[in-house]
Amino acid sequence: MRYSAGHKQETRERLLQSSAGQAKNEGFSTVGVDALMKAIGLSGGAFYSHFASKDELFGSIVERELKQSLERLGGHGQHDQEKLQRCLQQYLSMAHLQQPAAGCAIPALGAEISRGGVEVRQQSENLICRLHQAWAQTLGSESLAWSILSQCVGALVVARMLVSPDIQQQILASSHEQILKQLQ
């Protein structure tokens, strides 16, 4: 049976979405091609009609997820400090901590991106720099934008490493409080 070009694109998108969720929840390197395809109801052999390699899939996931993070975090256009503060509150929340598949790709995939190939790392750099520039424009300081971006990601990574929700909440709340002090 022959499928339409639209069907192939839909299948590719389902694979990207499913694989991104698995990667952000479990780590990309821990999941094999067969498991990625099984999650969308297809055999492992069908994978290669969509991607030449697992590395190519990872690059596509990183691009897709970082673009979505950029949109959510305000990297498309200027916004005011009030909007940035609402964004920071959502970012440093228990909901974001508990749902990595639905959240920012940077803390979820950052370690794997750092071990990735030059193309994936360059692509990540380009997108993160766009976010930085948007925040720098809002904050009036490139240094402050890098500092806050790093603090947000770091707080989320550390909080996800821990088991106790009380300590996780303390980390997120403390980080948010300190960032707000920097914004004054």
Side-chain angles (χ1 to χ4, degrees):
M1 176 155 120
R2 195 157 168 87
Y3 292 106
S4 69
H7 176 79
K8 184 174 181 175
Q9 185 58 36
E10 288 171 16
T11 302
R12 179 183 169 93
E13 184 55 34
R14 279 190 345 192
L15 177 58
L16 271 169
Q17 184 174 358
S18 176
S19 298
Q22 284 184 298
K24 288 175 14 179
N25 276 333
E26 304 164 29
F28 185 74
S29 62
T30 63
V31 183
V33 167
D34 289 338
L36 293 171
M37 294 303 287
K38 184 178 180 182
I40 63 167
L42 297 173
S43 70
F47 175 85
Y48 296 99
S49 67
H50 299 283
F51 295 96
S53 67
K54 192 175 170 195
D55 286 341
E56 182 183 329
L57 171 62
F58 184 60
S60 295
I61 288 170
V62 168
E63 177 182 22
R64 178 182 187 272
E65 292 298 311
L66 288 180
K67 282 182 179 178
Q68 288 178 355
S69 292
L70 182 66
E71 288 176 25
R72 282 193 298 263
L73 296 173
H76 289 299
Q78 188 177 7
H79 57 286
D80 59 30
Q81 281 216 14
E82 194 173 300
K83 184 175 178 181
L84 178 60
Q85 288 180 17
R86 285 192 308 271
C87 177
L88 294 171
Q89 185 173 5
Q90 290 173 338
Y91 196 92
L92 295 170
S93 70
M94 288 298 286
H96 188 205
L97 178 132
Q98 294 167 346
Q99 299 171 354
C104 179
I106 300 170
L109 297 175
E112 288 186 275
I113 291 169
S114 73
R115 292 186 291 270
V118 173
E119 284 184 36
V120 168
R121 290 175 43 229
Q122 184 63 59
Q123 180 179 57
S124 299
E125 180 179 313
N126 294 341
L127 291 164
I128 290 169
C129 285
R130 284 177 45 199
L131 174 60
H132 166 260
Q133 284 303 310
W135 282 16
Q137 194 172 26
T138 299
L139 298 168
S141 168
E142 291 202 15
S143 176
L144 184 57
W146 279 129
S147 176
I148 290 174
L149 177 60
S150 300
Q151 288 173 43
C152 287
V153 172
L156 205 55
V157 169
V158 171
R160 282 182 179 160
M161 290 168 47
L162 306 178
V163 177
S164 169
D166 289 341
I167 297 173
Q168 290 173 323
Q169 181 59 46
Q170 285 178 359
I171 290 167
L172 297 176
S174 297
S175 297
H176 188 245
E177 179 184 325
Q178 292 303 312
I179 289 169
L180 290 179
K181 286 180 182 180
Q182 292 177 69
L183 295 177
Q184 294 176 351

